[in-house]
């Protein structure tokens, strides 16, 4: 009985104008008991609003105009506040850092139990059960501030599950996490769904991992459901932002579209694929802009980089891969002179600019244009509308140029931050995890901007977990492990035969991307 | 685990909705002021023997604690939604940490955010923020002591006052509003110092010409206190007050804009169709 | 981020005494300072505090509260001594003379300078010792107490207020982290160069924005986890009225004091205090919510506080019987006297030292302390 039912729901945010995310229009949806329902769509498509309607956060916490009815567990959100639905709906959102009420894991898990007035013995039992269910019992005494993103997100899920809700709603739970953390979180979700029969509503941008665990999916755009609900394979098969393997299947005209590398391999073996090898059109490297020799960096008396050397040449797009803590960010910070190296030297006169992971640390001006102009002002240059237009165009920000940078979606913000740093005129751009939380549209705009900066004789270094990004725009790949370079060279060479291989390469070596396959087919 | 569904949602208002809380806040203010200012009005014969006069400051601190307890009682279930607590939390943490920031001239960063947030979110929020910021600061830096109720109440009043000022200034032109708030911050730079000195001024009576003596007339006491204040704090507080005003003038417009962008979350307007 | 780490560590370690027990001990010590303000006894109390800090405080910013607060006390006292010496003139035991000036009426109209007298300086010095003593006691309290535990052990009537403080404390590490990140991003934007102009604006706004964005997320998380669930119980409403009555009684007490009616003031004052305490008790009782794994005050904790309070009680009795070593005055000038009985009376303040500072074993299945 605890299913969720939307009956012609419409919703708009308070003071809805051009600035607010799009509302919901006439949503009818029945979520089946015990299923995993995947909600996909670009930023601003209404995914978040839809999820927030399930437990009444929209409209009761966000404010706004709400029509229609959402029934969850027999209660209508029209006359039940989120807090009155806490025992049937658990809610987890994307920022793993902002969901902790108490600075200690087990006390935070118990927060919901205290609110609903459980007695001490039941609280003890529930907390133990939930900690075990998520596999985080060893973290119980820790402060969330000391945990990794994946661990934090699992703790947040534990907090949402404490009251044993029958429905769990997650708004992009893995978008801020590294691949390992994302895997852990999704594996935990799939286990909860299988063992406890919890109904899961999940919104995601990155479908490589999320799609395989979902039973059904819907696609949203401009506040409406434009596809589904239908089986995940069918919906994702039609969705433009599908994972690479699915699009590969589409390009090759396979009858059944795969969602995982495993399925794709099986189909490829069964049907057989015969394509000639792709041409490498990557240009030769230009003159060297900067070279770092034997960099060693210590942070808090711990050696983070053990003698790293690298060369950055004009036209390079270098992808820096490696797990969390392997020294990627530190290398970027050392190159941009934000930390000083203990030993080693950086030779070259090229100007460098660094875009940090979280674009929110940078933005403060009232409009996107002003944000770009601010950098020029700080550098003591005159306000150059031409240059501003150029970068706004290059990162696809034309539609939002007069909006408040802080009111934009994560992907748009990231692009504003890149534009705001790049406009300073640096030849070498260092981007730290630029695709975190980005939707397909933002990713495409970013890739274009990176390529064109390199073509104009600049260079870009991307520290990233996103192998697909590396496959699509990197000319060279450097893999870091424990503060040392473990592999370096041409992108295709390094990516082949490594665990970092992108999906297409795993199915159809030596192809890196679907676009390459499509080009060969077109020939 | 099931909960009785509330049949209907009551009109939610998180301001001073009924008369009692208002009356409580008013009484707390009156009592707090009386407890602070006892050196000025306490008649000598109210203190039966001079040996007991030493307890007066501790007694005043006790009154402060009791008053704070009565105030905390008004923060009950249903008086704060998640957004109020969370926004209060983040602002209190920020201004508690800003206090660690030593500004040139003995100023401290705790004031400006409380004033601006009070003006943006109203008197009740301003009061709560003042109290919470001070508690956080004391908890983080190890500042718990008999002076704490005085510091908390003083900042609470400052925040509440800023809230009332904000009601008046929110319709004004942005620059003018900020100038008024800066002036308010400047005045409180002195007031806060003067209030804080009061907790220990009567504490020690060394017979000096600038220290408290029970039984002096109001004007004599005031004169002594003024001289004491001039001697110990005036220059210091003047620098702090100037810092308050300058900070508000420099970043006030931008910070107010930021704060107001989040104001609708505190009291969400819900229209059901 | 060493600051964050240090604050974290101080949170995680568990003192062998409950935070409320430490508070009880500190109040006893502060009371003793009041009752025995002679420099000798204050020195003894300060030494006891130093011993408590040395044995029971965790390394970190909180431990530094002890010397910091003492230093603050010394500075206050010093300013007072200078002020008293410059402005107070009795005319006895003149040390030396300075040129004098009378301040304008607006600035208090006092004579500054003139004769500097030994008696005045000594009196101010002795008075200053009381300040240092109180500062030392509370400095020690801040150094040894678990602040987290203190917030957790507030009466249930203050549940919501406590959550507001808990949330704020949980924001402290992320705010510090935010400041570092924003500062670095600011430098990164200009290629490592620091531009000072309007820097505060560029730092404050992003820190605030990030914090408020997180607050909105946290608010949603709190709302969906049942924060403020249920209607206020009847007892909570009753408590509200009791609190109001208590405040009215206190107000009446002040009015009576002004009217020089000491007895009725005392009665009203006691009534007011009692009513508010009753209100807290009623609200706590009717607030049925239990707390998860709250550390309980054990018999040992209570015993320690009771022991510590023997000191102020004994000193109180000595005051009534007129022990003249307790206070010391500079006129007539003499060395401060030491009495054996008052020194013995201070010994119970050592009560917290009977236990090992840290629990070596925390039984994870029970809230109770394993008493050594």
């Amino acid at each position: 009985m605890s299913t969720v039912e939307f009956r012609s729901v419409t919703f708009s945010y308070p003071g809805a104008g051009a600035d607010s995310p799009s509302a919901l229009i006439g949503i009818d949806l029945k979520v089946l008991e015990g299923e995993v329902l995947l909600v996909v769509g670009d930023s601003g498509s209404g995914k978040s609003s839809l999820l927030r309607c399930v437990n009444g956060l929209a409209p009761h916490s966000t404010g706004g105009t709400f029509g229609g009815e959402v029934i969850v567990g027999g209660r209508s959100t029209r006359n039940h506040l989120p807090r009155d639905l806490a025992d049937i709906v658990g809610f987890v959102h994307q920022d793993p850092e902002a969901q902790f009420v108490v600075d200690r894991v087990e006390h935070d898990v118990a927060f919901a139990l205290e609110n609903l007035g459980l007695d001490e013995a039941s609280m003890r039992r529930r907390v133990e059960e939930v900690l075990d269910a998520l596999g985080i019992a060893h973290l119980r005494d820790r402060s969330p501030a000391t945990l990794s993103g994946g661990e934090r997100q699992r703790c947040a899920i534990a907090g949402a599950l404490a009251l044993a809700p029958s429905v769990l709603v997650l708004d992009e739970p893995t978008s801020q996490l590294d691949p390992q953390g994302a895997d852990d979180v999704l594996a935990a979700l799939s286990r909860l769904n299988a063992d406890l029969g919890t109904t899961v509503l999940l919104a995601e941008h990155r479908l490589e991992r999320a799609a395989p665990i979902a039973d059904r999916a819907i696609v949203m755009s401009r506040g409406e459901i434009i596809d589904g609900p239908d089986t995940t394979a069918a919906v994702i098969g039609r969705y433009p932002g599908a994972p690479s393997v699915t699009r590969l299947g589409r390009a090759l005209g396979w009858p059944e579209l795969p969602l995982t590398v495993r399925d794709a391999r099986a189909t490829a073996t069964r049907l057989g694929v015969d394509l000639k090898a792709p041409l490498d059109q990557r240009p030769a490297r230009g003159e060297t802009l900067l070279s770092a020799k034997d960099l060693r960096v210590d942070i808090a008396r711990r050696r983070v980089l053990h003698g790293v050397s690298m060369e950055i040449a004009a036209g390079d797009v270098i992808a820096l891969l490696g797990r969390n803590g392997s020294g990627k960010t530190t290398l970027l910070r050392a190159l941009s002179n934000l930390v000083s190296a203990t030993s080693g030297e950086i030779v070259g006169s090229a100007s460098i600019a660094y875009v940090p992971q979280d674009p929110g640390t940078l933005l403060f001006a009232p409009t996107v244009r002003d944000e770009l102009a601010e950098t020029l002002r700080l550098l003591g240059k005159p306000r150059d509308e031409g240059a501003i237009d150029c970068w706004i165009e290059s990162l696809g920000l034309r539609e939002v140029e007069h909006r408040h940078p802080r009111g934009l979606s994560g992907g748009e913000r990231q692009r504003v931050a890149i534009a705001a740093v790049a406009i300073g005129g640096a030849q070498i751009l260092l981007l730290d995890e630029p695709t975190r939380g980005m939707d397909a549209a933002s990713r495409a705009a970013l890739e274009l901007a990176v390529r064109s900066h390199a073509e104009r004789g600049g260079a870009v270094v991307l520290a990233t977990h996103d192998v697909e990004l590396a496959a699509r725009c990197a000319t060279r790949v450097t893999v870091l492990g424990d503060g040392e370079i473990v592999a370096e060279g041409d992108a295709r060479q390094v990516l082949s035969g490594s665990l970092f291989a992108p999906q297409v390469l795993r199915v159809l070596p030596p192809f890196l991307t679907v676009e390459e396959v499509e080009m060969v087919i077109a020939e | 685990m099931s909960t009785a569904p509330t049949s209907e949602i009551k009109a939610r208002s998180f301001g001073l909705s009924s008369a009692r809380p208002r009356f409580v806040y008013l009484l707390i203010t009156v009592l707090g002021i009386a407890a602070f200012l006892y050196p000025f009005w306490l008649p000598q014969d109210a203190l039966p023997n001079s040996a007991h006069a030493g307890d007066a400051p501790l007694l005043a601190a006790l009154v402060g604690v009791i008053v704070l307890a009565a105030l905390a009682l008004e923060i009950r279930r249903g008086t704060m939604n998640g957004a109020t607590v969370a926004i209060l939390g983040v602002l209190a943490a920020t201004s508690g940490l800003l206090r660690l920031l030593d500004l040139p001239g003995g100023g401290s960063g705790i004031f400006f955010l409380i004033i601006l947030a009070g003006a943006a979110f109203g008197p009740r929020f301003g009061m709560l923020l003042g109290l919470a910021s001070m508690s956080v600061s004391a908890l983080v830096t190890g500042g718990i002591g008999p002076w704490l109720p005085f510091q908390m109440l003083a900042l609470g009043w400052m925040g509440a006052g800023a809230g009332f000022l904000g009601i008046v200034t929110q319709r004004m032109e942005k620059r003018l509003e900020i100038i008024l708030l800066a002036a308010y911050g400047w005045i409180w730079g002195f007031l806060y110092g003067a209030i804080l000195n009061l907790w220990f001024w009567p504490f020690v009576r060394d017979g000096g010409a600038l220290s408290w003596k029970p039984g002096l007339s109001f004007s004599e006491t005031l004169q002594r206190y003024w001289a004491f204040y001039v001697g110990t704090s005036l220059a210091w507080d003047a620098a702090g007050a100037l810092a308050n005003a300058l900070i508000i003038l420099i970043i006030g417009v931008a910070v107010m804009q930021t704060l107001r962008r989040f104001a609708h979350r505190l009291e969400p307007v819900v229209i059901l169709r | 981020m060493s600051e964050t780490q240090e604050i974290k560590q101080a949170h995680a370690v568990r003192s062998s005494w409950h935070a409320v027990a430490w508070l009880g001990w500190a109040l006893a010590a502060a009371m003793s300072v009041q009752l025995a303000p002679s420099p000798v006894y204050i020195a003894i109390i300060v030494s006891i505090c130093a011993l408590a800090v040395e044995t029971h405080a965790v390394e970190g910013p909180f431990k530094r509260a002890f010397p910091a607060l003492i230093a603050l006390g010394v500075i206050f006292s010093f300013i007072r001594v200078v002020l008293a010496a410059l402005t107070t003139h009795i005319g006895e035991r003149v040390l030396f003379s300075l040129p004098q000036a009378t301040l304008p009426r607006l600035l208090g109209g006092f004579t500054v300078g003139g004769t500097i007298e030994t008696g005045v300086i000594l009196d101010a010095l002795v008075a200053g010792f009381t300040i240092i003593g109180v500062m030392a006691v509370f400095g020690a309290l801040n150094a040894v107490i678990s602040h987290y535990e203190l917030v957790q052990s507030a009466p249930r009537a203050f549940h919501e207020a406590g959550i507001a403080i808990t949330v704020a404390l949980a924001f402290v590490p992320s705010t510090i982290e935010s400041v570092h990140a924003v500062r670095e991003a600011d430098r990164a934007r200009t290629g490592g160069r620091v531009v000072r102009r309007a820097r505060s604006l560029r730092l404050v706004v992003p820190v605030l924005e990030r914090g408020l964005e997180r607050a909105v997320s946290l608010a949603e998380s709190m709302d969906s986890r049942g924060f403020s669930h249920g209607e206020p119980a009847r007892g909570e409403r009753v408590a509200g009225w009791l609190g109001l009555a208590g405040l009215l009684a206190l107000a009446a007490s002040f009015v009576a004091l002004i009217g020089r009616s000491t007895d009725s003031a005392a009665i009203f004052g006691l009534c007011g205090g009692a009513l508010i305490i009753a209100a807290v008790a009623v609200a706590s009782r009717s607030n049925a919510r239990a707390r998860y794994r709250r550390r309980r005050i054990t018999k040992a904790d209570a015993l320690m506080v009771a022991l510590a309070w023997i000191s102020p009680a004994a000193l109180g009795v000595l005051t009534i019987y007129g022990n003249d070593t307790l206070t010391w005055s500079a006129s007539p000038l003499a060395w401060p006297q030491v009495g054996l009985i008052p020194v013995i009376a201070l010994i119970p303040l050592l009560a917290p030292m009977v236990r090992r500072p840290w629990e070596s074993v925390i039984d994870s299945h029970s809230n109770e302390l394993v008493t050594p």
Side-chain angles (χ1 to χ4, degrees):
Chain A
M1 109 132 174
S2 273
T3 51
V4 184
E5 189 178 344
F6 284 69
R7 293 180 189 156
S8 50
V9 172
T10 56
F11 172 69
S12 59
Y13 285 96
D19 238 31
S20 51
S22 65
L24 297 178
I25 308 159
I27 301 286
D28 283 294
L29 177 67
K30 271 189 190 164
V31 182
L32 306 179
E33 193 166 340
E35 75 169 337
V36 177
L37 179 72
L38 180 65
V39 184
V40 298
D42 278 345
S43 299
S45 60
K47 293 196 305 289
S48 296
S49 312
L50 180 91
L51 295 185
R52 277 171 176 70
C53 282
V54 175
N55 70 342
L57 283 174
H60 299 299
S61 296
T62 57
T65 311
F66 181 86
E69 191 155 46
V70 177
I71 308 283
V72 50
R75 300 178 208 163
S76 164
T77 63
R78 287 183 81 87
N79 50 16
H80 287 79
L81 296 174
R83 61 178 183 233
D84 306 321
L85 297 166
D87 54 334
I88 31 179
V89 185
F91 185 86
V92 177
H93 59 76
Q94 58 176 330
D95 188 349
E97 292 171 35
Q99 307 180 58
F100 293 95
V101 178
V102 190
D103 201 10
R104 203 173 290 183
V105 169
E106 67 171 327
H107 284 267
D108 187 75
V109 171
F111 178 69
L113 305 171
E114 290 181 330
N115 286 330
L116 265 74
L118 269 71
D119 60 276
E120 273 192 270
S122 327
M123 283 204 274
R124 265 323 281 279
R125 214 194 71 221
R126 282 300 307 160
V127 171
E128 294 303 325
E129 286 172 2
V130 172
L131 290 178
D132 284 341
L134 273 303
I136 50 168
H138 59 293
L139 306 176
R140 63 189 315 154
D141 284 327
R142 299 271 293 275
S143 154
T146 63
L147 304 180
S148 74
E151 288 171 331
R152 279 188 213 176
Q153 202 59 298
R154 279 188 288 155
C155 294
I157 295 176
L161 275 181
L163 286 165
S166 49
V167 181
L168 188 58
V169 178
L170 304 103
D171 188 6
E172 299 181 20
T174 67
S175 69
Q176 306 294 313
L177 308 182
D178 59 284
Q180 183 58 48
D183 279 342
D184 289 347
V185 167
L186 289 170
L189 280 181
S190 139
R191 201 167 57 237
L192 285 171
N193 174 257
D195 294 355
L196 307 173
T198 313
T199 309
V200 177
L201 268 86
L202 177 69
E204 272 299 345
H205 282 313
R206 308 297 313 279
L207 302 173
E208 285 86 354
R209 290 181 180 76
I213 71 160
D215 299 309
R216 297 198 302 162
I218 56 173
V219 179
M220 297 205 59
S221 175
R222 295 172 185 276
E224 289 178 282
I225 298 176
I226 55 164
D227 194 5
D230 201 346
T231 58
T232 316
V235 172
I236 300 302
R238 295 187 288 263
Y239 182 58
S244 312
V245 273
T246 315
R247 287 186 294 124
L248 178 68
R250 229 184 273 157
L252 294 171
W254 289 347
E256 279 168 39
L257 297 179
L259 288 178
T260 60
V261 172
R262 206 179 113 119
D263 293 350
R265 271 193 179 145
T267 316
T269 328
R270 193 157 48 82
L271 298 178
V273 183
D274 188 25
L275 290 174
K276 65 179 177 135
L279 285 173
D280 243 326
Q281 326 143 308
R282 311 213 169 183
R285 298 182 79 185
E287 53 163 334
T288 303
L289 296 174
L290 191 88
S291 63
K293 289 197 188 94
D294 205 24
L295 283 185
R296 285 165 213 275
V297 176
D298 299 335
I299 291 173
R301 270 170 270 154
R302 204 173 63 82
R303 179 141 297 181
V304 187
L305 287 186
H306 305 262
V308 170
S309 304
M310 75 187 291
E311 273 193 7
I312 304 173
D316 274 357
V317 177
I318 302 177
L320 213 51
L321 303 177
R323 79 179 80 77
N324 267 354
S326 58
K328 298 192 300 292
T329 300
T330 308
L331 178 55
L332 294 195
R333 292 171 69 214
L335 288 175
S336 55
N337 209 14
L338 290 172
V339 285
S340 47
T342 317
S343 69
E345 57 173 349
I346 298 171
V347 188
S349 57
S351 52
I352 303 175
Y354 167 66
V355 185
Q357 237 180 68
D358 181 355
T361 54
L362 207 64
L363 309 175
F364 70 97
T367 72
V368 171
R369 287 192 79 88
D370 290 347
E371 195 67 65
L372 267 61
E374 183 64 29
T375 308
L376 294 177
R377 207 176 65 84
L378 289 176
L379 290 168
K381 298 179 178 175
R383 183 169 172 140
D384 178 355
E385 299 295 337
I388 294 176
D389 275 327
C390 165
W391 278 104
I392 281 188
E393 201 59 60
S394 129
L395 281 156
L397 294 165
R398 184 60 74 197
E399 274 179 39
V400 296
E401 63 177 335
H402 294 298
R403 284 181 43 189
H404 198 296
R406 294 247 164 207
L408 302 175
S409 76
E412 289 164 336
R413 276 188 199 203
Q414 185 76 53
R415 283 185 280 149
V416 175
I418 293 171
V421 171
I423 198 172
Q427 283 169 287
I428 303 176
L429 287 180
L430 311 176
L431 309 184
D432 196 354
E433 211 60 66
T435 52
R436 208 164 75 148
M438 271 195 175
D439 62 0
S442 280
R443 288 164 59 88
L446 171 80
E447 284 166 13
L448 201 67
V450 165
R451 284 206 207 98
S452 64
H453 182 74
E455 275 159 23
R456 285 198 301 264
V460 182
V461 182
L462 307 154
T464 187
H465 290 297
D466 188 346
V467 218
E468 303 295 327
L469 174 76
R472 294 162 66 86
C473 44
T475 57
R476 300 182 68 77
V477 169
T478 302
V479 182
L480 279 179
D482 197 23
E484 288 170 348
I485 290 183
V486 293
E488 199 202 359
D490 176 69
R492 195 183 307 274
Q493 277 167 12
V494 176
L495 288 176
S496 327
S498 98
L499 277 174
F500 289 108
Q503 286 193 326
V504 175
L505 186 68
R506 290 180 201 214
V507 180
L508 267 194
F511 289 95
L512 283 176
T513 63
V514 181
E515 283 74 14
E516 282 181 352
V517 176
E518 281 169 346
M519 254 161 59
V520 171
I521 293 174
E523 280 170 19
Chain B
M1 200 166 323
S2 76
T3 359
T6 17
S7 53
E8 60 183 46
I9 295 161
K10 294 193 178 126
R12 285 183 303 151
S13 155
F14 298 98
L16 295 164
S17 53
S18 68
R20 197 198 59 224
R22 277 174 205 244
F23 203 50
V24 166
Y25 281 81
L26 185 71
L27 267 177
I28 284 164
T29 304
V30 172
L31 283 175
I33 292 174
F36 281 166
L37 299 186
Y38 73 91
F40 295 109
W41 56 264
L42 202 61
Q44 183 175 29
D45 38 1
L47 299 166
N49 69 55
S50 60
H52 274 243
D55 303 344
L58 288 183
L59 216 57
L62 191 65
V63 171
V65 171
I66 289 176
V67 161
L68 283 176
L71 190 122
L73 271 178
E74 282 301 315
I75 309 170
R76 273 196 319 279
R77 182 152 36 176
T79 57
M80 289 200 290
N81 58 3
T84 310
V85 173
I87 292 182
L88 195 62
V90 70
L91 293 179
T94 313
S95 55
L97 287 172
L98 279 168
R99 183 153 176 252
L100 300 180
L101 205 88
D102 277 324
L103 299 174
S108 122
I110 199 170
F111 299 96
F112 83 93
L113 195 55
I114 297 173
I115 292 176
L116 293 174
F121 299 145
R124 177 171 184 261
F125 190 93
M127 173 133 213
L128 294 178
L129 181 59
L131 299 175
S133 304
M134 210 28 153
S135 339
V136 168
S137 170
L139 287 170
V140 171
T141 59
I144 299 170
W147 50 84
L148 189 57
F150 287 74
Q151 292 176 321
M152 285 172 70
L153 280 171
L155 277 190
W157 288 328
M158 185 183 79
F164 286 114
L165 189 62
I167 294 173
V168 181
T169 59
Q170 64 179 353
R171 294 205 178 76
M172 292 180 182
E173 203 258 319
K174 269 189 218 158
R175 272 320 299 181
L176 185 64
E177 171 174 42
I178 291 307
I179 290 170
L180 281 176
L181 289 174
Y184 181 77
W186 185 76
I187 293 169
W188 263 96
F190 296 99
L191 265 183
Y192 183 79
I195 292 176
L196 257 285
N197 280 342
L198 271 176
W199 93 261
F200 79 96
W201 182 55
F203 200 65
V204 192
R205 294 183 311 283
D206 49 18
L210 299 189
S211 58
W212 182 52
K213 220 161 81 183
L216 287 178
S217 74
F218 176 79
S219 63
E220 275 176 293
T221 316
L222 190 64
Q223 202 188 352
R224 275 172 174 244
Y225 183 66
W226 175 237
F228 172 78
Y229 181 73
V230 168
T232 54
S233 322
L234 186 64
W236 191 260
D237 285 354
L242 190 67
N244 286 350
L246 284 180
I247 295 176
I248 294 177
L249 281 179
I250 294 170
I251 63 176
V253 173
V255 170
M256 276 306 260
Q257 224 165 22
T258 301
L259 291 172
R260 290 217 162 110
R261 278 204 317 125
F262 290 88
H264 72 98
R265 282 275 178 171
L266 289 175
E267 290 178 45
V269 181
V270 178
I271 303 164
L272 294 177
R273 264 211 305 251
Chain C
M1 241 124 297
S2 61
E3 278 166 271
T4 328
Q5 285 307 328
E6 282 182 343
I7 290 172
K8 289 280 86 58
Q9 271 173 8
H11 272 203
V13 186
R14 186 156 148 156
S15 164
S16 58
W17 300 107
H18 194 284
V20 172
W22 277 119
L23 192 63
W25 170 81
L27 289 177
M31 203 65 192
S32 308
V33 170
Q34 284 291 300
L35 289 165
S38 165
V40 191
Y41 302 127
I42 287 184
I44 292 174
I45 295 171
V46 172
S47 323
I48 292 176
C49 291
L51 187 64
V53 173
E54 211 38 62
T55 54
H56 282 70
V58 198
E59 279 307 325
F62 293 110
K63 190 172 183 180
R64 292 196 285 273
F66 182 63
L69 282 182
I70 290 186
L72 205 62
V74 170
I75 294 169
F76 272 145
S77 311
F78 178 74
I79 295 175
R80 289 187 66 102
V81 169
V82 172
L83 265 184
L86 286 176
T87 56
T88 313
H89 316 283
I90 301 166
E92 296 168 12
R93 285 180 282 163
V94 176
L95 210 56
F96 56 89
S97 288
L98 288 175
Q100 67 177 51
T102 302
L103 287 177
R105 176 91 190 133
L106 188 66
L107 292 180
F110 280 88
T111 307
V112 178
T115 54
I116 302 295
E117 301 163 20
T118 325
V120 171
I121 291 179
L122 282 177
D123 273 334
L125 210 54
V126 167
F129 268 116
T130 325
I131 295 186
I132 296 172
V134 171
M135 288 293 199
V137 167
F138 284 95
L141 174 68
N142 282 299
V144 296
I145 205 170
S146 156
H147 294 77
Y148 181 79
E149 209 168 271
L150 190 67
V151 176
Q152 289 277 304
S153 50
R156 258 185 302 207
F158 306 136
H159 182 81
E160 314 275 302
I163 284 180
I165 300 297
T166 310
V167 166
L169 287 176
F171 265 115
V172 167
S174 79
T175 308
I176 294 176
E177 183 269 329
S178 213
V179 172
H180 287 282
V182 167
R183 197 182 285 167
E184 179 166 302
D186 185 57
R187 272 178 61 200
R189 184 175 198 157
T190 47
R193 218 179 72 206
V194 177
V195 181
R196 299 217 170 270
R197 192 180 36 164
R199 185 146 182 259
S200 55
L201 182 69
R202 300 198 309 275
L203 298 187
V204 168
V205 172
V207 169
L208 209 56
E209 288 267 4
R210 269 182 122 207
L212 287 168
E213 278 159 9
R214 283 191 182 157
V216 166
S217 302
L218 179 67
E220 290 189 342
S221 176
M222 290 174 77
D223 284 343
S224 21
R225 288 199 273 162
F227 175 65
S228 209
H229 173 84
E231 295 296 303
R234 204 170 62 91
E236 289 177 78
R237 285 196 293 273
V238 172
W241 292 108
L242 278 178
L244 180 61
L247 287 175
L248 281 172
L250 277 182
S253 161
F254 279 118
V255 173
L257 263 184
I258 295 172
R260 311 198 172 209
S261 151
T262 320
D263 292 343
S264 42
I267 292 169
F268 274 125
L270 285 177
C271 282
L275 276 170
I276 288 171
I277 290 167
V280 172
V282 168
S284 297
R285 182 155 302 181
S286 66
N287 192 335
R289 288 172 294 196
R291 258 184 232 160
Y292 177 74
R293 288 192 92 179
R294 176 185 187 180
R295 181 171 178 183
R296 290 193 172 75
I297 299 172
T298 58
K299 279 188 190 135
D301 286 319
L303 194 66
M304 186 273 270
V305 176
L307 265 176
W309 272 89
I310 292 177
S311 286
L315 292 172
V317 171
L318 287 176
T319 313
I320 292 166
Y321 283 96
N323 185 317
D324 33 328
T325 68
L326 289 179
T327 52
W328 178 73
S329 159
S331 52
L333 192 58
W335 287 105
Q337 301 287 306
V338 189
L340 184 62
I341 303 171
V343 172
I344 292 172
L346 287 176
I347 288 176
L349 285 180
L350 287 165
M353 263 59 85
V354 301
R355 246 199 203 166
R356 282 203 305 274
W358 309 110
E359 287 165 61
S360 47
V361 184
I362 298 173
D363 183 351
S364 63
H365 296 293
S366 134
N367 284 336
E368 303 298 326
L369 290 179
V370 188
T371 342

